[in-house]
Amino acid sequence: MAQKPLRLLACGDVEGKFDALFNRVQAIQKKSGDFDEISLAPLQRLNGSSIKLASKKAPIQTYVLGANNQETIHFFQNADGCELAENITYLGRKGIFTGSSGLQIVYLSGTESLNEPAPGYSFSPKDVSSLRTMLCSASQFKGVDILLTSPWPKHVGNFGNSSGEVDTKKCGSALVSSLATDLKPRYHFAALEKTYYERLPYRNHIVLQENAQHATRFIALANVGNPEKKKYLYAFSIVPMKLMDAAELVKQPPDVTENPYRKSGKEASIGKQISAPEEESICQFFFDLNEKQGRKRSSTGRDNKSSPHPKQPRRPPQPPGPCWFCLASPEVEKHLVVNIGTHCYLALAKGGLCDDHVLILPIGHYQSVVELSAEVVEEVEKYKTTLKRFFRSRGKRCILFERNYKSQHLQLQVIPVPLGHCTTGDIKDAFITQAQEQQIELLEIPELSDIKQIAQPGTAYFYVELDTGEKLFHRIKKNFPLQFGREVLASEGILNIPDKSDWRQCQISKEEEETLALRFRKDFEPFDFTLDD
């Protein structure tokens, strides 16, 4: 018999408004049925001047965290927790609560402090370390059901949806990020920023490198009775991890993202403030492709001529020999270049599958996507988004692929396919079918995954991205057909041009290439994000 889920409530900062909270809880229960014996309140700052807890009785068992400032610390004098009123229990400064159902809750009260001993309203690296030791030392430890903290974890917004007005690179606790990394909570609640934010779920494993683990959902809640009517109550159902089937537990939500703390967990574990890794700038080149297009902007958004002593960026890795795609190289066929940004450029493919088959290329020398710096990745994504809009306006969907094998410079192939020719599902099936026929293990990876988390620099791979965001990946271990991507798209049922699967059979004269490039530049101009305002 399947385990019946527990129905729980999580709440933001009460700020003494217990009457408003309990009335709201009773209204919810009247409408949707009773919740179980636990109501979770991640941050309950008690305001003694406005309430008398002794006179209060919660409609369901309620657990609260402690003080996060000097003014409220005297309400929580017992660091190990105590009963504050009927059905209202203070959990304590830190610890583990296991309910009769087997649900495991880890809690950490207060704000971050790097001092030892920490003030009574704060937690320290030592507190976080003790929680980690209590749990992670067990050989069978897989994670916890719920983590309750007052502060947000720093960098929780990385790889995820927008966190609104809260800048997660500056706000939040690095120690909490470290704790969340190690404890792998299925739900993590926090409320110190007094706003609602439900982050997309994130995975706790590296795809294709580690065994699948459950996903984590981070939810920040607003304060009770806030005038903006932001969400302060969160209802959810959960089956304790210990009672779940292993396969069911590790099922990944369709919108799962990469772990936001993956790069910063080590620094957080020793109590350092997490900072984004220093990114390498690349050399920039500006060409007057067409005077009517306007002037290209510099990386600062200003004309380079305005500064007599511009800061010299560090040079990217240099090619070991001649490179056909480094924009400063004399080998580049510049008549094929159709658009230039700050870090990347577009060029028509030589021997393209169709007239508007283009390449996204880094201006500096990078071999693959996994070697790109963050600023180059950002512009690659801008080009991808812009090209999707451009081709969609012309009744086409675009398919993108990269082959990091027997290649020297990153080439992201972007091939438009008329909408009437086939569906995205047909294209996906064609890749999978032809891969199986050639004994190529083509795996589907999560849409919001970061390929840098899947392949390390130097790894040979083939990668496909469909217009829906679906992605297919193959780790190349030995021989791989160099024209595989073209062969699939040129096949019957897709573009129906099998005779063009080899680019060498599709070459045209330089004059014809110049004509196609001029036409593409003109058509693309209304979509060009690189132009000055």
Side-chain angles (χ1 to χ4, degrees):
M1 182 177 177
Q3 173 68 28
K4 183 181 178 181
L6 298 170
R7 299 181 68 233
L8 306 180
L9 279 171
C11 178
D13 192 340
V14 177
E15 294 186 323
K17 299 176 183 176
F18 276 89
D19 287 336
L21 170 63
F22 294 157
N23 289 339
R24 178 63 178 154
V25 170
Q26 289 172 328
I28 292 174
Q29 290 195 125
K30 184 177 181 180
K31 183 177 180 180
S32 59
D34 290 342
F35 284 81
D36 288 283
E37 71 276 10
I38 301 174
S39 175
L40 306 173
L43 175 62
Q44 306 279 29
R45 193 177 70 199
L46 307 183
N47 187 337
S49 64
S50 61
I51 65 164
K52 293 182 179 180
L53 273 176
S55 65
K56 301 296 175 185
K57 178 182 177 180
I60 52 178
Q61 184 63 51
T62 303
Y63 295 90
V64 305
L65 294 186
N68 56 62
N69 56 45
Q70 185 65 49
E71 290 72 29
T72 56
I73 192 172
H74 63 282
F75 290 107
F76 305 94
Q77 295 182 5
N78 188 339
D80 296 324
C82 60
E83 185 176 68
L84 299 176
E86 189 173 353
N87 276 356
I88 303 177
T89 301
Y90 164 47
L91 288 169
R93 287 191 62 197
K94 67 178 188 298
I96 306 164
F97 176 88
T98 303
S100 59
S101 62
L103 189 75
Q104 192 173 51
I105 303 166
V106 176
Y107 54 91
L108 183 65
S109 292
T111 57
E112 176 181 304
S113 172
L114 300 182
N115 298 321
E116 293 286 0
Y121 55 86
S122 297
F123 56 86
S124 68
K126 186 176 179 180
D127 293 320
V128 171
S129 179
S130 66
L131 279 175
R132 184 186 295 111
T133 301
M134 279 190 284
L135 288 155
C136 301
S137 57
S139 59
Q140 299 300 314
F141 178 74
K142 296 180 180 179
V144 299
D145 290 304
I146 297 169
L147 173 62
L148 303 179
T149 64
S150 295
W152 290 26
K154 198 169 187 180
H155 288 292
V156 69
N158 285 357
F159 308 124
N161 48 314
S162 172
S163 53
E165 66 270 23
V166 178
D167 184 350
T168 61
K169 293 181 180 179
K170 297 179 180 178
C171 296
S173 164
L175 290 174
V176 171
S177 300
S178 171
L179 188 64
T181 300
D182 293 331
L183 299 192
K184 303 178 181 68
R186 295 165 64 200
Y187 284 87
H188 180 180
F189 293 97
L192 192 58
E193 300 300 332
K194 297 186 180 182
T195 190
Y196 172 68
Y197 171 51
E198 182 170 2
R199 189 201 185 281
L200 292 172
Y202 64 84
R203 66 177 66 87
N204 286 292
H205 64 278
I206 301 176
V207 178
L208 303 181
Q209 294 185 31
E210 298 175 341
N211 292 332
Q213 299 182 51
H214 58 270
T216 293
R217 300 175 185 274
F218 172 76
I219 297 104
L221 295 166
N223 48 313
V224 173
N226 65 87
E228 297 84 8
K229 300 188 182 299
K230 295 178 181 179
K231 189 170 183 176
Y232 64 84
L233 272 178
Y234 186 90
F236 64 109
S237 298
I238 185 172
V239 174
M241 183 185 299
K242 294 181 179 179
L243 304 179
M244 289 189 67
D245 175 74
E248 185 68 23
L249 176 64
V250 301
K251 278 187 178 179
Q252 301 295 293
D255 54 351
V256 69
T257 77
E258 292 301 331
N259 190 313
Y261 322 120
R262 180 69 65 181
K263 294 180 181 179
S264 52
K266 182 177 179 181
E267 289 183 277
S269 68
I270 58 175
K272 293 182 179 180
Q273 291 299 313
I274 304 174
S275 59
E278 184 177 354
E279 301 297 349
E280 181 179 44
S281 298
I282 69 167
C283 297
Q284 300 165 23
F285 305 88
F286 300 90
F287 293 86
D288 183 13
L289 295 177
N290 184 340
E291 291 183 0
K292 293 182 180 180
Q293 282 188 298
R295 202 164 41 188
K296 297 291 179 180
R297 57 176 169 79
S298 70
S299 59
T300 61
R302 299 184 297 268
D303 191 335
N304 283 345
K305 295 181 180 179
S306 64
S307 174
H309 301 290
K311 183 179 178 181
Q312 296 299 317
R314 285 182 294 168
R315 294 172 63 82
Q318 298 302 299
C323 179
W324 290 96
F325 299 103
C326 285
L327 194 52
S329 171
E331 286 78 23
V332 172
E333 297 193 47
K334 291 187 172 62
H335 67 282
L336 292 172
V337 176
V338 292
N339 189 268
I340 302 174
T342 304
H343 307 288
C344 305
Y345 71 99
L346 290 183
L348 288 184
K350 196 166 186 68
L353 276 168
C354 48
D355 291 349
D356 42 7
H357 175 176
V358 293
L359 310 178
I360 304 175
L361 305 120
I363 291 173
H365 187 77
Y366 294 92
Q367 184 169 331
S368 68
V369 163
V370 299
E371 296 179 1
L372 297 179
S373 63
E375 57 193 359
V376 185
V377 170
E378 182 180 1
E379 192 162 279
V380 166
E381 292 301 320
K382 283 185 179 180
Y383 268 119
K384 286 162 61 174
T385 300
T386 303
L387 285 169
K388 285 180 181 179
R389 288 177 47 239
F390 169 65
F391 285 124
R392 180 65 64 166
S393 73
R394 303 175 73 81
K396 301 177 183 180
R397 59 170 56 87
C398 61
I399 310 302
L400 181 146
F401 70 82
E402 177 196 0
R403 169 177 54 81
N404 183 33
Y405 174 71
K406 293 188 177 181
S407 59
Q408 186 183 13
H409 189 110
L410 166 62
Q411 304 163 54
L412 291 176
Q413 310 270 345
V414 184
I415 297 94
V417 178
L419 294 174
H421 274 42
C422 56
T423 66
T424 302
D426 294 332
I427 298 172
K428 180 180 177 181
D429 291 343
F431 271 104
I432 293 173
T433 300
Q434 293 199 38
Q436 291 173 342
E437 291 175 355
Q438 300 187 49
Q439 297 183 325
I440 295 171
E441 186 181 24
L442 198 59
L443 303 175
E444 186 166 0
I445 60 176
E447 293 180 24
L448 297 176
S449 62
D450 182 349
I451 196 168
K452 289 188 176 185
Q453 299 287 340
I454 300 171
Q456 300 301 314
T459 301
Y461 62 85
F462 176 80
Y463 163 77
V464 182
E465 183 174 332
L466 305 174
D467 62 308
T468 56
E470 296 172 276
K471 300 174 182 178
L472 305 173
F473 178 87
H474 170 65
R475 190 184 304 278
I476 299 174
K477 298 178 181 178
K478 50 182 181 179
N479 295 334
F480 182 81
L482 300 183
Q483 305 298 333
F484 177 71
R486 288 181 63 109
E487 289 172 356
V488 174
L489 294 173
S491 64
E492 295 183 8
I494 308 300
L495 289 174
N496 299 318
I497 46 173
D499 56 318
K500 291 190 174 184
S501 58
D502 189 333
W503 72 273
R504 289 166 294 191
Q505 306 301 317
C506 304
Q507 294 188 73
I508 56 179
S509 69
K510 182 177 180 179
E511 290 74 18
E512 291 174 302
E513 289 175 339
E514 289 175 337
T515 299
L516 292 179
L518 183 61
R519 182 190 307 162
F520 188 95
R521 290 178 201 139
K522 182 178 179 181
D523 293 341
F524 187 71
E525 184 176 350
F527 299 84
D528 186 2
F529 66 87
T530 69
L531 294 176
D532 284 335
D533 294 332

